[in-house]
Amino acid sequence: MDQHSTKTGAAGITGDTDTAVIAVGETAAADAPPARRRFARLRLGAYTRDRKFIAGISIVGFFALVALIGPAFVGDPLRQTGPIMDGPSGDHWLGTTNNGQDVLTQLVVGTRSSLLVGLIAGLVSVTLATLVGMIGGYAGGWVDELFNMFSNIFLVIPGLPLVIVLASYLQGSDINGLWVIGMVIALTSWAASARVLRAQTLSLRRRDYVDAARASGERTWRIMFVEILPNLSPILISQFIWAVLGAILAEAGLSFLGLGDLQSTTWGTMLFFAQNGEALRLGAWWWFAPPGVCIALLGAGLTLINLSVDEVINPRLRVYKQRKSRKGTR
């Protein structure tokens, strides 16, 4: 075989290899599910048949409705409207405080404030976790090492002491408020979610449809936000739910310790003033019980939604549930 034949054969092999790679890429691209199919696991029909989801979304929806329209039907939560430490009655359904303030009014206004803190912390926390986890996991190399080190630093920092220090520092400043409390909670709670999203991104970036998009010349940002991000949506929903719940509990804890925004009415500030007013010793259960029950109910609702999401997106939990239901019918 002469040199010309060898070159011709090598070129033929190379051409065949390139053709095979393109064919595999085209096949993978054809097999890759369209964007709308990636959300099939999140279809509404899968949840409407789940009793846990129905119960959870009903509870959360009730509190969201109260937060949206409730304050428009009540007055000033700090205004004295009745006798001091009066129990539940027709005029005051949940009684009054030691200053004659209506507890129901405070509870309705506090619902909006507490949910606002939860939404702020949840959105900021999930956004930071998504950017750090997804970009670092997809880019790899020194970018991944830098982002991973950054998240590890925040992961080992004790969250509660840092929140207490920052909240107490900001308490006397002019920028104190619910938005600041939500941001402080978010900045101390995003690292764990970033680790989870990074691990999932490391797995997704090796999938066939991602390789096909990369081989077809798609831009990096489009691969991350169109090919990878939709497949992270179940994890993002779960992380967002836990972030909202954790932020509401953290705000209630800070306010109970007197480190929150005491100028605003939240479930936590209601517990703080009830403690200072010795409501427990005086037997004024209508003052401290309603905010505690609301926190517990909202936490239960968010937990039920999260469990339902896990069962829909996790095949193992779904198969176990089906087997359990079959055994019950026998």
Side-chain angles (χ1 to χ4, degrees):
M1 183 180 295
D2 56 4
Q3 185 176 2
H4 178 71
S5 301
T6 303
K7 292 181 179 180
T8 304
I13 294 174
T14 305
D16 294 340
T17 303
D18 294 339
T19 304
V21 171
I22 294 174
V24 171
E26 292 177 352
T27 303
D31 294 337
R36 62 179 180 273
R37 291 182 182 177
R38 296 190 193 119
F39 291 95
R41 291 178 296 180
L42 299 177
R43 60 188 183 275
L44 186 60
Y47 294 106
T48 55
R49 295 189 296 268
D50 193 341
R51 288 177 293 182
K52 289 193 292 292
F53 179 80
I54 295 175
I57 200 67
S58 300
I59 296 173
V60 176
F62 170 76
F63 282 108
L65 185 63
V66 171
L68 286 174
I69 65 175
F73 295 95
V74 297
D76 184 6
L78 302 180
R79 184 170 61 89
Q80 182 177 357
T81 59
I84 296 175
M85 297 293 285
D86 189 22
S89 62
D91 296 330
H92 304 281
W93 292 359
L94 291 180
T96 60
T97 66
N98 58 350
N99 292 323
Q101 301 158 344
D102 187 66
V103 175
L104 179 60
T105 301
Q106 292 187 351
L107 190 68
V108 171
V109 176
T111 301
R112 171 180 288 184
S113 302
S114 296
L115 288 182
L116 178 62
V117 173
L119 289 176
I120 293 171
L123 290 174
V124 174
S125 175
V126 170
T127 301
L128 287 175
T130 302
L131 293 177
V132 173
M134 185 178 65
I135 294 176
Y138 180 80
W142 66 270
V143 177
D144 184 27
E145 293 180 359
L146 179 63
F147 281 8
N148 194 28
M149 180 187 66
F150 186 62
S151 61
N152 286 337
I153 292 175
F154 277 86
L155 195 62
V156 299
I157 295 177
L160 182 60
L162 181 60
V163 170
I164 292 176
V165 170
L166 292 177
S168 60
Y169 174 76
L170 296 172
Q171 189 176 21
S173 63
D174 296 333
I175 60 175
N176 187 32
L178 296 178
W179 286 83
V180 176
I181 296 296
M183 293 293 294
V184 168
I185 295 173
L187 292 176
T188 57
S189 60
W190 62 269
S193 299
R195 295 294 299 272
V196 175
L197 293 171
R198 172 183 175 271
Q200 187 66 16
T201 304
L202 289 174
S203 175
L204 291 174
R205 73 174 184 176
R206 300 183 180 92
R207 302 293 175 87
D208 291 340
Y209 62 89
V210 176
D211 291 336
R214 193 182 297 113
S216 63
E218 295 288 349
R219 296 172 181 258
T220 301
W221 66 266
R222 189 181 186 281
I223 295 176
M224 287 192 297
F225 289 97
V226 176
E227 302 294 339
I228 294 179
L229 184 60
N231 291 279
L232 295 176
S233 54
I235 299 178
L236 293 176
I237 293 173
S238 178
Q239 297 297 329
F240 174 75
I241 292 174
W242 285 123
V244 171
L245 178 58
I248 293 174
L249 294 176
E251 188 280 328
L254 288 174
S255 297
F256 183 76
L257 296 175
L259 300 175
D261 183 13
L262 300 181
Q263 303 299 323
S264 302
T265 301
T266 65
W267 292 340
T269 56
M270 289 181 65
L271 293 174
F272 170 77
F273 288 113
Q275 178 198 23
N276 283 358
E278 299 182 346
L280 183 61
R281 185 181 67 83
L282 297 175
W285 57 267
W286 58 85
W287 192 0
F288 62 83
V293 171
C294 287
I295 293 174
L297 284 177
L298 183 59
L302 291 173
T303 302
L304 289 174
I305 295 176
N306 200 23
L307 292 176
S308 178
V309 172
D310 287 340
E311 288 184 359
V312 172
I313 66 177
N314 192 335
R316 295 181 179 179
L317 293 178
R318 188 163 60 250
V319 171
Y320 174 76
K321 184 179 179 181
Q322 292 175 354
R323 290 178 180 177
K324 189 175 180 180
S325 61
R326 291 174 183 174
K327 290 181 180 180
T329 57
R330 292 179 181 176

